[in-house]
Each structure stands twice: as structure tokens, then as C-alpha cells.
Amino acid sequence: MKAIVITSPGGPEVLKIQEVDEPQLKDDEVLIKVEATALNRADTFQRKGVYPPPKGASEYLGLECSGTIEAVGKAVSRWKIGDQVCALLSGGGYAEKVAVPAGQVLPVPPGVSLKDAASLPEVASTVWSTTFMMSRLSAGETFLVHGGSSGIGTFAIQMAKYQGARVFVTAGSDEKLAVCKDLGADVCINYKTEDFVKRVKEETGGKGVDVILDHIGASYLKRNLESLNFDGRLFIIGTMGGSVTEIDLRALLSRRLTVQSAGLRYRSTENKAVIVNEVEKNVWPAIVAGKVKPVIYKYFPLSEAAEAHRLLETSVHIGKILLVP
């Protein structure tokens, strides 16, 4: 099969399409003929050599895909050959075929094309597991997501609105904020021209928000904590603004704040299956109802993965970028 290979750690130019061996199918896996895969920021870190795949996972990039099942392992009962699915991967999506544990596979939701379904598994699993399963965002609460126009952001806005929360976003341009507003964001903050802490306080009568989903990390930590209400929960899913900082623990003590962090890729197969099951039960109905839609910026052929990475790293995109074999 053809796959994108990282020829050596480096910039987008190191990504080359090559003939490689097809994946070996284990008993608890299905083999998917890939219709599309989606880019995630983590792919750029793996390309640079700083985010290796988990032990035993595919060496190729790609944390989600959609496609048609071509083979099923002996221990798999739910899926059959010919099923149209999408899946959460530990790697291997940037290829014509990928093997994936059956518990990480989801049916393509009615109303979403097979190709566009590739944009859903990673964002749905990330947002549901962090904001809802762990931070317990509930109806009537307030929610701030940074990078509102990103793949995670565009999904989080819609899902939080569907669950009855009031949604705040930050983004770096008026064009991005307009998209966030169209998706349902109630308060849109341009972080380049406004102090998000001040605006959050103004919009909440001085209280702050209940839950924050943050991919920036160190450089936002102090301001995120200042933006939280009593019993507020901060969830950190990235460190694009650095990973080391200092905080005054009294800020947490006095307002009973919770700071949590988690990634998806290094979780166990069993843990991922639990999350994917929860996503199917809780998120898929919102997609079927048309309340949550994939937001896709651009499609590239698989052979142009380098070009797609260049676009991702400019951060001008809104929503997801897809690769199509």
C-alpha cells in the first residue's frame, strides 16, 4: 500500500509518499480501507521527532480516519466487511489501509459523508472525554474554549451549546470569531486585541467561567485560573505556549479550583474503547440531529501531505484539514 513516511525528523518537506507493507491484522482489530484521514497538531510534533507513537502502534502519522472495513479479526463480532466506519487511531491514518482495535471504531453518522466522517473521531473523543466526562460541564454552566476556530474548538462550541452551556471562545481574527459565532458561541474574544480575563469577568458579573478547555499551557495558566468561577475546572490538552510555569496555589485553595490534563494517544486500548463508546452514546445523537456538524477547511490528496502540514502550521485554517488517498 501507499503511505506517507517521515523520511527523517524535520519540516513538512520530510513527508514522502512511499510503498510500504500492509498492516498485520490482530484478532481484535479490523482492517479499514481509508477514505480520508484528518490532520491533528500532534502529527506535526511526531514529524519533528518529539512525539513518538505508543509502543506497538503504527509508525505512520494519522490519529483518525474514515473508510470501509476490508477484513475483520477472529475476535471481532460487531463489525463486518463492507461496513462504512470512522475510527480513533494511535497512528497509521496517512495510508491506504490501517488496522485498528474494534473498540475504537464508530459507525459513520447518518447525514455525514464517508469522507467528512474522518474529521470526527479525534475531536469528538477529546472534547467528550475532557470537557464532559472529566470536567463535567453541564447545562446552565459557562464554558471557555481557547482556539475556538481550531478542529477541537469548532467541535467544542457546538457540543457545549447542545448540552446547554453558555460558550465563550478566544481566537486571533475577526474572521475566525465570526465562524465561532455562527457555530453558536455566545461571547467571542479576539485575544490579540482584548484581555480575555477582563472580558470573561465582565460577561459573568465578575464570577468567571465554570470550565476552560486549553491547549496553550504555561503562558495561559495564571490567566486561566483568574478566569475561573468558584469550583471552576481547567482542562489542559496542549502546551503550545510552553510546559513549565509557576503558580500561586492559594489561587486554587481559595476558590476550590481543579486543574486536570490528559492526552488521548497514550491511553490503553480498553480506556479508548470506553471513551469511544461514550462518544457514540452521547455525541453521535447530536450529529444525527444536525446540531453538531463537521467543520472542514480543505481537502488534500494524500500525496500532498507536506502541503497540508504547511497549511496547518500557519494556523490560518478554520476547522479540520483532510487527506484523501
Side-chain angles (χ1 to χ4, degrees):
M1 67 170 185
K2 288 189 172 68
I4 293 294
V5 174
I6 302 168
T7 50
S8 65
E13 70 284 348
V14 305
L15 301 177
K16 303 286 185 212
I17 196 157
Q18 294 181 4
E19 282 291 331
V20 302
D21 291 338
E22 285 193 13
Q24 297 294 307
L25 192 65
K26 298 191 183 104
D27 288 351
D28 65 342
E29 292 181 333
V30 300
L31 184 69
I32 298 174
K33 182 179 188 296
V34 176
E35 178 79 14
T37 185
L39 270 65
N40 288 281
R41 189 68 65 166
D43 302 346
T44 65
F45 300 133
Q46 184 174 337
R47 188 199 72 220
K48 291 171 187 168
V50 295
Y51 188 60
K55 198 172 179 320
S58 169
E59 66 193 274
Y60 306 118
L61 294 165
L63 297 175
E64 57 193 333
C65 75
S66 62
T68 306
I69 292 183
E70 240 185 33
V72 292
K74 289 199 282 283
V76 177
S77 56
R78 177 176 178 185
W79 307 106
K80 59 186 190 302
I81 292 168
D83 283 348
Q84 295 200 331
V85 297
C86 55
L88 180 69
L89 311 174
S90 297
Y94 288 29
E96 290 179 321
K97 295 180 185 183
V98 65
V100 56
Q104 289 163 224
V105 179
L106 289 149
V108 172
V112 176
S113 71
L114 180 58
K115 185 162 70 170
D116 288 357
S119 71
L120 295 171
E122 178 77 19
V123 290
S125 299
T126 297
V127 170
W128 188 258
S129 63
T130 57
T131 305
F132 298 97
M133 290 170 75
M134 293 175 76
S135 291
R136 306 175 315 285
L137 179 67
S138 51
E141 288 195 312
T142 46
F143 172 58
L144 166 63
V145 58
H146 291 297
S149 60
S150 66
I152 294 276
T154 52
F155 195 88
I157 292 165
Q158 298 178 81
M159 202 60 216
K161 285 303 288 182
Y162 177 75
Q163 294 292 102
R166 184 173 178 227
V167 177
F168 293 61
V169 299
T170 62
S173 75
D174 291 342
E175 182 201 2
K176 288 180 174 180
L177 291 170
V179 172
C180 294
K181 194 166 176 40
D182 286 346
L183 291 171
D186 299 287
V187 179
C188 301
I189 304 163
N190 186 329
Y191 68 82
K192 290 181 179 169
T193 59
E194 292 187 85
D195 171 5
F196 73 81
V197 183
K198 188 163 170 280
R199 187 78 192 281
V200 161
K201 289 288 181 63
E202 280 168 8
E203 296 282 351
T204 57
K207 288 180 178 167
V209 293
D210 298 304
V211 175
I212 299 175
L213 184 60
D214 171 57
H215 66 285
I216 301 293
S219 63
Y220 268 21
L221 183 60
K222 186 171 183 289
R223 283 183 286 166
N224 278 332
L225 296 177
E226 287 170 6
S227 301
L228 284 171
N229 193 2
F230 279 86
D231 299 304
R233 291 88 76 195
L234 167 63
F235 208 107
I236 300 168
I237 55 168
T239 54
M240 287 181 64
S243 56
V244 179
T245 186
E246 200 174 80
I247 56 166
D248 185 340
L249 292 171
R250 289 172 298 186
L252 305 184
L253 278 165
S254 60
R255 283 181 292 131
R256 304 183 297 275
L257 304 182
T258 303
V259 180
Q260 295 185 88
S261 189
L264 202 49
R265 192 180 197 183
Y266 297 119
R267 289 175 182 265
S268 68
T269 306
E270 296 76 17
N271 200 297
K272 285 178 184 171
V274 168
I275 291 169
V276 167
N277 184 45
E278 288 283 319
V279 164
E280 187 173 355
K281 280 196 312 218
N282 296 288
V283 178
W284 255 222
I287 297 171
V288 173
K291 301 293 186 192
V292 175
K293 297 181 173 77
V295 179
I296 293 159
Y297 186 74
K298 196 167 182 183
Y299 306 89
F300 286 89
L302 184 63
S303 58
E304 291 178 23
E307 206 44 53
H309 270 230
R310 280 187 197 100
L311 173 61
L312 182 69
E313 290 183 309
T314 65
S315 292
V316 300
H317 64 288
I318 292 168
K320 297 284 282 190
I321 300 164
L322 267 52
L323 293 176
V324 184

